[in-house]
Amino acid sequence: MYSLLTLLNLGSSSPQRLAEHSVRVSRALDATLHLLDNLLNWSMAQIRNEGMKPKVFALDDLVEECLTLLLNDAERKELMFQNHLTTRCFVRADVDMTRLILRNLIGNAIKFTPSGGCISIANRREGAFWEIAVADTGVGIPKADWDKVLGIGVRSTLGTDRERGTGLGLRLCKDFVEMNGGKLSFTSELKTGSVFRFTLPAVAKEAHLPITSVQDEAEDASVAAG
């Protein structure tokens, strides 16, 4: 931002040069905001005495919300979203943690999928859990790096459009999934794509009342902010 403002104040840069710097600044700010978001959630999980706040909610509604939120990023890279969640799936978990898990997994799929690719979300019942799978047709992960993917302090890799990451996202997802009683796993094939899966405790449909919906959560947050 400082370099861009300096160029603007000088007033001698061509529109093309300013546009190039604007793109770089935009990418840097995206990475910084993502880092701050992850750090805030990470620190919150570590220092809050009250811990997580599990509630019953419809996981498919939260998936739809996250897909809508990240649609612009996908469209910018000409990627297609496919939502294959055909069954309502009620879970008991911390809504904010689950939202961050989905945003990170879908965001990573966008980051590592080249233009024209596809990202799909599917669900299935696994005993006492609901499983969500985020699949992409991206660059994939070399098998030699599989053990490093969910580790702490892992250096982030540039995306297909040179997007920068923080190295915290997947570790944060793993911690949050496990704190909510589930598991995070993945499979990947180089130059073919990856599938990240996580589970959360399921709630029987007849036992889901009272439900705190995702919309209610958003309204509560809006009232609190106001």
Side-chain angles (χ1 to χ4, degrees):
M1 289 181 68
Y2 178 79
S3 63
L4 180 62
L5 288 173
T6 300
L7 289 173
L8 288 172
N9 289 331
L10 289 173
S12 58
S13 297
S14 67
Q16 182 180 355
R17 189 181 180 195
L18 287 174
E20 290 172 353
H21 276 275
S22 296
V23 171
R24 293 194 195 101
V25 170
S26 179
R27 287 174 177 167
L29 286 176
D30 283 344
T32 303
L33 289 172
H34 188 62
L35 172 61
L36 288 174
D37 188 33
N38 279 335
L39 285 174
L40 286 170
N41 283 281
W42 180 284
S43 60
M44 179 180 66
Q46 299 299 319
I47 68 176
R48 281 194 315 183
N49 291 328
E50 68 270 23
M52 63 180 191
K53 299 176 180 178
K55 295 180 179 179
V56 176
F57 64 94
L59 185 53
D60 46 300
D61 286 344
L62 197 59
V63 168
E64 186 65 35
E65 174 197 299
C66 291
L67 288 176
T68 301
L69 180 67
L70 295 170
L71 182 60
N72 285 339
D73 292 338
E75 288 180 340
R76 188 174 66 245
K77 293 185 71 173
E78 299 181 346
L79 303 176
M80 180 185 296
F81 275 157
Q82 293 182 345
N83 187 348
H84 295 305
L85 275 70
T86 57
T87 306
R88 309 254 30 212
C89 42
F90 294 99
V91 297
R92 183 173 181 80
D94 185 291
V95 177
D96 290 328
M97 289 183 179
T98 307
R99 182 180 283 113
L100 186 136
I101 293 164
L102 286 166
R103 282 176 56 186
N104 268 293
L105 294 183
I106 298 171
N108 266 5
I110 294 172
K111 176 181 175 182
F112 292 109
T113 301
S115 178
C118 177
I119 297 165
S120 61
I121 320 291
N123 64 335
R124 66 174 179 175
R125 186 67 179 262
E126 288 287 318
F129 297 86
W130 275 108
E131 179 188 88
I132 296 293
V134 180
D136 64 61
T137 58
V139 296
I141 304 167
K143 204 154 191 177
D145 294 337
W146 282 19
D147 291 339
K148 306 174 187 177
V149 170
L150 301 178
I152 192 168
V154 176
R155 187 172 181 176
S156 177
T157 306
L158 290 178
T160 57
D161 199 24
R162 300 193 63 79
E163 304 100 322
R164 293 185 179 274
T166 64
L168 279 175
L170 287 176
R171 175 55 190 260
L172 195 61
C173 289
K174 181 177 183 293
D175 285 355
F176 281 1
V177 168
E178 291 177 353
M179 288 172 68
N180 283 278
K183 291 183 179 180
L184 175 68
S185 62
F186 73 93
T187 56
S188 185
E189 187 173 341
L190 203 58
K191 299 182 180 179
T192 299
S194 304
V195 182
F196 280 82
R197 300 178 175 88
F198 71 93
T199 59
L200 291 174
V203 177
K205 185 176 180 180
E206 61 272 13
H208 70 248
L209 293 175
I211 291 176
T212 299
S213 68
V214 175
Q215 182 178 358
D216 291 338
E217 286 288 317
E219 290 174 354
D220 291 344
S222 176
V223 171

